[in-house]
mmCIF file with all atom_site columns, all heavy atoms in Angstrom:
data_model
loop_
_atom_site.group_PDB
_atom_site.id
_atom_site.type_symbol
_atom_site.label_atom_id
_atom_site.label_alt_id
_atom_site.label_comp_id
_atom_site.label_asym_id
_atom_site.label_entity_id
_atom_site.label_seq_id
_atom_site.pdbx_PDB_ins_code
_atom_site.Cartn_x
_atom_site.Cartn_y
_atom_site.Cartn_z
_atom_site.occupancy
_atom_site.B_iso_or_equiv
_atom_site.pdbx_formal_charge
_atom_site.auth_seq_id
_atom_site.auth_comp_id
_atom_site.auth_asym_id
_atom_site.auth_atom_id
_atom_site.pdbx_PDB_model_num
ATOM 1  N N   . LYS Y 1 60 ? -9.672  -17.511 -12.604 1.00 0.00 ? 67 LYS Y N   1
ATOM 2  C CA  . LYS Y 1 60 ? -10.821 -17.143 -13.429 1.00 0.00 ? 67 LYS Y CA  1
ATOM 3  C C   . LYS Y 1 60 ? -11.272 -18.202 -14.418 1.00 0.00 ? 67 LYS Y C   1
ATOM 4  O O   . LYS Y 1 60 ? -12.404 -18.170 -14.864 1.00 0.00 ? 67 LYS Y O   1
ATOM 5  C CB  . LYS Y 1 60 ? -10.497 -15.847 -14.191 1.00 0.00 ? 67 LYS Y CB  1
ATOM 6  C CG  . LYS Y 1 60 ? -10.305 -14.666 -13.279 1.00 0.00 ? 67 LYS Y CG  1
ATOM 7  C CD  . LYS Y 1 60 ? -9.907  -13.441 -14.059 1.00 0.00 ? 67 LYS Y CD  1
ATOM 8  C CE  . LYS Y 1 60 ? -9.646  -12.293 -13.116 1.00 0.00 ? 67 LYS Y CE  1
ATOM 9  N NZ  . LYS Y 1 60 ? -9.145  -11.117 -13.793 1.00 0.00 ? 67 LYS Y NZ  1
ATOM 10 N N   . GLU Y 1 61 ? -10.397 -19.098 -14.808 1.00 0.00 ? 68 GLU Y N   1
ATOM 11 C CA  . GLU Y 1 61 ? -10.755 -20.068 -15.830 1.00 0.00 ? 68 GLU Y CA  1
ATOM 12 C C   . GLU Y 1 61 ? -11.874 -20.982 -15.369 1.00 0.00 ? 68 GLU Y C   1
ATOM 13 O O   . GLU Y 1 61 ? -11.937 -21.368 -14.217 1.00 0.00 ? 68 GLU Y O   1
ATOM 14 C CB  . GLU Y 1 61 ? -9.545  -20.930 -16.196 1.00 0.00 ? 68 GLU Y CB  1
ATOM 15 C CG  . GLU Y 1 61 ? -8.924  -20.523 -17.471 1.00 0.00 ? 68 GLU Y CG  1
ATOM 16 C CD  . GLU Y 1 61 ? -7.852  -21.484 -17.926 1.00 0.00 ? 68 GLU Y CD  1
ATOM 17 O OE1 . GLU Y 1 61 ? -7.807  -22.633 -17.466 1.00 0.00 ? 68 GLU Y OE1 1
ATOM 18 O OE2 . GLU Y 1 61 ? -7.053  -21.056 -18.754 1.00 0.00 ? 68 GLU Y OE2 1
ATOM 19 N N   . ALA Y 1 62 ? -12.755 -21.314 -16.300 1.00 0.00 ? 69 ALA Y N   1
ATOM 20 C CA  . ALA Y 1 62 ? -13.874 -22.192 -15.974 1.00 0.00 ? 69 ALA Y CA  1
ATOM 21 C C   . ALA Y 1 62 ? -13.419 -23.632 -15.791 1.00 0.00 ? 69 ALA Y C   1
ATOM 22 O O   . ALA Y 1 62 ? -13.980 -24.359 -15.002 1.00 0.00 ? 69 ALA Y O   1
ATOM 23 C CB  . ALA Y 1 62 ? -14.936 -22.122 -17.061 1.00 0.00 ? 69 ALA Y CB  1
ATOM 24 N N   . GLU Y 1 63 ? -12.393 -24.025 -16.541 1.00 0.00 ? 70 GLU Y N   1
ATOM 25 C CA  . GLU Y 1 63 ? -11.909 -25.397 -16.430 1.00 0.00 ? 70 GLU Y CA  1
ATOM 26 C C   . GLU Y 1 63 ? -10.432 -25.380 -16.089 1.00 0.00 ? 70 GLU Y C   1
ATOM 27 O O   . GLU Y 1 63 ? -9.605  -25.012 -16.913 1.00 0.00 ? 70 GLU Y O   1
ATOM 28 C CB  . GLU Y 1 63 ? -12.146 -26.150 -17.732 1.00 0.00 ? 70 GLU Y CB  1
ATOM 29 C CG  . GLU Y 1 63 ? -13.614 -26.378 -18.002 1.00 0.00 ? 70 GLU Y CG  1
ATOM 30 C CD  . GLU Y 1 63 ? -13.838 -27.277 -19.187 1.00 0.00 ? 70 GLU Y CD  1
ATOM 31 O OE1 . GLU Y 1 63 ? -12.945 -28.086 -19.513 1.00 0.00 ? 70 GLU Y OE1 1
ATOM 32 O OE2 . GLU Y 1 63 ? -14.909 -27.182 -19.778 1.00 0.00 ? 70 GLU Y OE2 1
ATOM 33 N N   . VAL Y 1 64 ? -10.121 -25.774 -14.904 1.00 0.00 ? 71 VAL Y N   1
ATOM 34 C CA  . VAL Y 1 64 ? -8.744  -25.793 -14.422 1.00 0.00 ? 71 VAL Y CA  1
ATOM 35 C C   . VAL Y 1 64 ? -8.509  -27.118 -13.720 1.00 0.00 ? 71 VAL Y C   1
ATOM 36 O O   . VAL Y 1 64 ? -9.366  -27.605 -12.996 1.00 0.00 ? 71 VAL Y O   1
ATOM 37 C CB  . VAL Y 1 64 ? -8.499  -24.626 -13.425 1.00 0.00 ? 71 VAL Y CB  1
ATOM 38 C CG1 . VAL Y 1 64 ? -7.100  -24.704 -12.855 1.00 0.00 ? 71 VAL Y CG1 1
ATOM 39 C CG2 . VAL Y 1 64 ? -8.733  -23.295 -14.098 1.00 0.00 ? 71 VAL Y CG2 1
ATOM 40 N N   . GLU Y 1 65 ? -7.346  -27.699 -13.956 1.00 0.00 ? 72 GLU Y N   1
ATOM 41 C CA  . GLU Y 1 65 ? -6.970  -28.905 -13.222 1.00 0.00 ? 72 GLU Y CA  1
ATOM 42 C C   . GLU Y 1 65 ? -5.800  -28.547 -12.320 1.00 0.00 ? 72 GLU Y C   1
ATOM 43 O O   . GLU Y 1 65 ? -4.787  -28.034 -12.775 1.00 0.00 ? 72 GLU Y O   1
ATOM 44 C CB  . GLU Y 1 65 ? -6.565  -30.027 -14.167 1.00 0.00 ? 72 GLU Y CB  1
ATOM 45 C CG  . GLU Y 1 65 ? -6.284  -31.311 -13.424 1.00 0.00 ? 72 GLU Y CG  1
ATOM 46 C CD  . GLU Y 1 65 ? -6.031  -32.470 -14.344 1.00 0.00 ? 72 GLU Y CD  1
ATOM 47 O OE1 . GLU Y 1 65 ? -6.866  -32.717 -15.230 1.00 0.00 ? 72 GLU Y OE1 1
ATOM 48 O OE2 . GLU Y 1 65 ? -5.003  -33.128 -14.162 1.00 0.00 ? 72 GLU Y OE2 1
ATOM 49 N N   . VAL Y 1 66 ? -5.964  -28.760 -11.040 1.00 0.00 ? 73 VAL Y N   1
ATOM 50 C CA  . VAL Y 1 66 ? -4.930  -28.465 -10.056 1.00 0.00 ? 73 VAL Y CA  1
ATOM 51 C C   . VAL Y 1 66 ? -4.778  -29.686 -9.171  1.00 0.00 ? 73 VAL Y C   1
ATOM 52 O O   . VAL Y 1 66 ? -5.761  -30.267 -8.722  1.00 0.00 ? 73 VAL Y O   1
ATOM 53 C CB  . VAL Y 1 66 ? -5.313  -27.236 -9.195  1.00 0.00 ? 73 VAL Y CB  1
ATOM 54 C CG1 . VAL Y 1 66 ? -4.264  -26.978 -8.137  1.00 0.00 ? 73 VAL Y CG1 1
ATOM 55 C CG2 . VAL Y 1 66 ? -5.520  -26.007 -10.061 1.00 0.00 ? 73 VAL Y CG2 1
ATOM 56 N N   . ASN Y 1 67 ? -3.554  -30.063 -8.907  1.00 0.00 ? 74 ASN Y N   1
ATOM 57 C CA  . ASN Y 1 67 ? -3.280  -31.219 -8.048  1.00 0.00 ? 74 ASN Y CA  1
ATOM 58 C C   . ASN Y 1 67 ? -4.019  -32.462 -8.523  1.00 0.00 ? 74 ASN Y C   1
ATOM 59 O O   . ASN Y 1 67 ? -4.453  -33.279 -7.730  1.00 0.00 ? 74 ASN Y O   1
ATOM 60 C CB  . ASN Y 1 67 ? -3.648  -30.922 -6.590  1.00 0.00 ? 74 ASN Y CB  1
ATOM 61 C CG  . ASN Y 1 67 ? -2.840  -29.794 -6.007  1.00 0.00 ? 74 ASN Y CG  1
ATOM 62 O OD1 . ASN Y 1 67 ? -1.688  -29.598 -6.383  1.00 0.00 ? 74 ASN Y OD1 1
ATOM 63 N ND2 . ASN Y 1 67 ? -3.421  -29.049 -5.103  1.00 0.00 ? 74 ASN Y ND2 1
ATOM 64 N N   . GLY Y 1 68 ? -4.235  -32.580 -9.826  1.00 0.00 ? 75 GLY Y N   1
ATOM 65 C CA  . GLY Y 1 68 ? -4.908  -33.748 -10.380 1.00 0.00 ? 75 GLY Y CA  1
ATOM 66 C C   . GLY Y 1 68 ? -6.412  -33.750 -10.198 1.00 0.00 ? 75 GLY Y C   1
ATOM 67 O O   . GLY Y 1 68 ? -7.082  -34.700 -10.545 1.00 0.00 ? 75 GLY Y O   1
ATOM 68 N N   . ALA Y 1 69 ? -6.966  -32.674 -9.660  1.00 0.00 ? 76 ALA Y N   1
ATOM 69 C CA  . ALA Y 1 69 ? -8.418  -32.601 -9.436  1.00 0.00 ? 76 ALA Y CA  1
ATOM 70 C C   . ALA Y 1 69 ? -9.068  -31.738 -10.503 1.00 0.00 ? 76 ALA Y C   1
ATOM 71 O O   . ALA Y 1 69 ? -8.484  -30.767 -10.975 1.00 0.00 ? 76 ALA Y O   1
ATOM 72 C CB  . ALA Y 1 69 ? -8.703  -32.001 -8.061  1.00 0.00 ? 76 ALA Y CB  1
ATOM 73 N N   . ASP Y 1 70 ? -10.272 -32.095 -10.900 1.00 0.00 ? 77 ASP Y N   1
ATOM 74 C CA  . ASP Y 1 70 ? -11.038 -31.275 -11.833 1.00 0.00 ? 77 ASP Y CA  1
ATOM 75 C C   . ASP Y 1 70 ? -11.653 -30.130 -11.041 1.00 0.00 ? 77 ASP Y C   1
ATOM 76 O O   . ASP Y 1 70 ? -12.526 -30.343 -10.211 1.00 0.00 ? 77 ASP Y O   1
ATOM 77 C CB  . ASP Y 1 70 ? -12.124 -32.109 -12.508 1.00 0.00 ? 77 ASP Y CB  1
ATOM 78 C CG  . ASP Y 1 70 ? -12.963 -31.294 -13.474 1.00 0.00 ? 77 ASP Y CG  1
ATOM 79 O OD1 . ASP Y 1 70 ? -12.596 -30.132 -13.772 1.00 0.00 ? 77 ASP Y OD1 1
ATOM 80 O OD2 . ASP Y 1 70 ? -13.997 -31.816 -13.933 1.00 0.00 ? 77 ASP Y OD2 1
ATOM 81 N N   . CYS Y 1 71 ? -11.212 -28.933 -11.307 1.00 0.00 ? 78 CYS Y N   1
ATOM 82 C CA  . CYS Y 1 71 ? -11.673 -27.774 -10.544 1.00 0.00 ? 78 CYS Y CA  1
ATOM 83 C C   . CYS Y 1 71 ? -12.616 -26.912 -11.366 1.00 0.00 ? 78 CYS Y C   1
ATOM 84 O O   . CYS Y 1 71 ? -12.707 -25.702 -11.161 1.00 0.00 ? 78 CYS Y O   1
ATOM 85 C CB  . CYS Y 1 71 ? -10.467 -26.953 -10.072 1.00 0.00 ? 78 CYS Y CB  1
ATOM 86 S SG  . CYS Y 1 71 ? -9.366  -27.903 -9.007  1.00 0.00 ? 78 CYS Y SG  1
#
Side-chain angles (χ1 to χ4, degrees):
K67 295 177 183 175
E68 258 188 19
E70 292 188 25
V71 176
E72 185 174 307
V73 177
N74 298 329
D77 179 10
C78 300

